[in-house]
Amino acid sequence: MVFKRRDQRSILAIFARFLYPQGGWARAFRYIRHRVRRLPDSPERISRGIWAGVFVTFTPLYGLHFITAAIIARVLNGNIIAALMATFFGNPLTYVPIGFVSLKLGHWIMRTEFIEGSQSSVVDNFINAWRDLKHNFFAIFTENIADWTILLAFFQEIFLPYLVGGILPGIIAASVLYFLSVSIIRAYQSRRKGKLKAKLAAIKKKASPKKSAKSS
């Protein structure tokens, strides 16, 4: 293959890059911010995309964040690329506090019990749920027996409270970043347009003496 990597990375290396990207998370955030600001779209549409991406990170739809963000951005008439980039608001640095707040608020709203300290095993619960879901799916086509007991407990104790509790903080965080990004992107685009106009004016000014010299 023409575009095949020369140095094949192991699964451990790929996972390590997810937890800590090359250059660090600060550099990754600066890169995403730079790319988002340079998107060829209006500040409002880009910011609506950012709203969709940030909001999705407060949902327990792990593995489906890109798809969900794109759908919400489409409904809001936002920029889909901005929505996909904004999903990186959810990362190993933010998932723990997001999960803790969403779970605790969700259990409080639903008047169910939230066990302190259980948030440390949320990742394991999601991994086990995906594993059980995969097993039950393939059980349809094999002689294996599907067991929905663990998945039902996961849905009631983690997924549903997480989903319910993540709505309010998700709306708040997404809305704050929406209004901030509108102002920042509008200022950036105005400054960029001013620089381009100044550059074009300088080129025209530089070219005008040559034209007058040729005409004479």
Side-chain angles (χ1 to χ4, degrees):
M1 287 181 65
V2 178
F3 300 105
K4 189 176 181 180
R5 289 180 62 94
R6 293 182 180 179
D7 54 327
Q8 294 298 316
R9 295 187 300 174
S10 64
I11 296 177
L12 183 61
I14 294 173
F15 183 69
R17 278 286 174 263
F18 172 74
L19 293 177
Y20 193 80
Q22 188 174 7
W25 280 107
R27 181 180 178 184
F29 289 143
R30 287 196 298 268
Y31 173 77
I32 293 172
R33 182 184 62 186
H34 177 71
R35 292 298 302 270
V36 167
R37 289 190 306 183
R38 292 178 67 88
L39 287 174
D41 211 338
S42 68
E44 289 76 17
R45 289 198 74 232
I46 294 174
S47 298
R48 284 196 292 270
I50 292 173
W51 192 99
V54 172
F55 175 76
V56 164
T57 62
F58 285 81
T59 68
L61 302 173
Y62 295 114
L64 300 174
H65 279 177
F66 274 6
I67 297 174
T68 310
I71 293 173
I72 295 177
R74 181 72 175 175
V75 171
L76 296 177
N77 192 28
N79 188 287
I80 294 178
I81 297 177
L84 299 181
M85 290 184 175
T87 59
F88 286 97
F89 180 83
N91 57 76
L93 300 178
T94 59
Y95 275 139
V96 172
I98 287 175
F100 178 83
V101 171
S102 298
L103 272 172
K104 191 161 187 177
L105 181 60
H107 278 286
W108 181 78
I109 292 173
M110 297 173 63
R111 297 294 188 268
T112 52
E113 185 179 359
F114 175 76
I115 302 174
E116 294 288 347
S118 63
Q119 70 275 9
S120 59
S121 62
V122 169
V123 175
D124 292 334
N125 283 313
F126 273 95
I127 293 174
N128 293 333
W130 275 111
R131 187 182 296 118
D132 289 341
L133 187 62
K134 178 183 176 182
H135 169 79
N136 291 344
F137 174 78
F138 284 107
I140 300 174
F141 310 100
T142 63
E143 296 179 354
N144 294 328
I145 299 175
D147 184 5
W148 298 95
T149 306
I150 298 177
L151 280 173
L152 182 60
F154 166 80
F155 178 80
Q156 293 175 342
E157 296 174 9
I158 294 181
F159 187 88
L160 186 57
Y162 197 135
L163 183 64
V164 173
I167 293 175
L168 181 59
I171 290 175
I172 293 173
S175 299
V176 169
L177 287 175
Y178 169 83
F179 289 111
L180 288 175
S181 59
V182 166
S183 301
I184 293 172
I185 294 170
R186 183 179 289 122
Y188 175 82
Q189 290 183 348
S190 298
R191 186 168 64 251
R192 193 159 178 253
K193 286 179 182 178
K195 289 182 179 179
L196 288 174
K197 287 180 180 179
K199 187 180 291 185
L200 288 173
I203 293 173
K204 288 180 180 179
K205 186 176 181 180
K206 190 175 181 180
S208 57
K210 295 182 180 178
K211 289 183 180 180
S212 59
K214 288 181 179 180
S215 60
S216 60

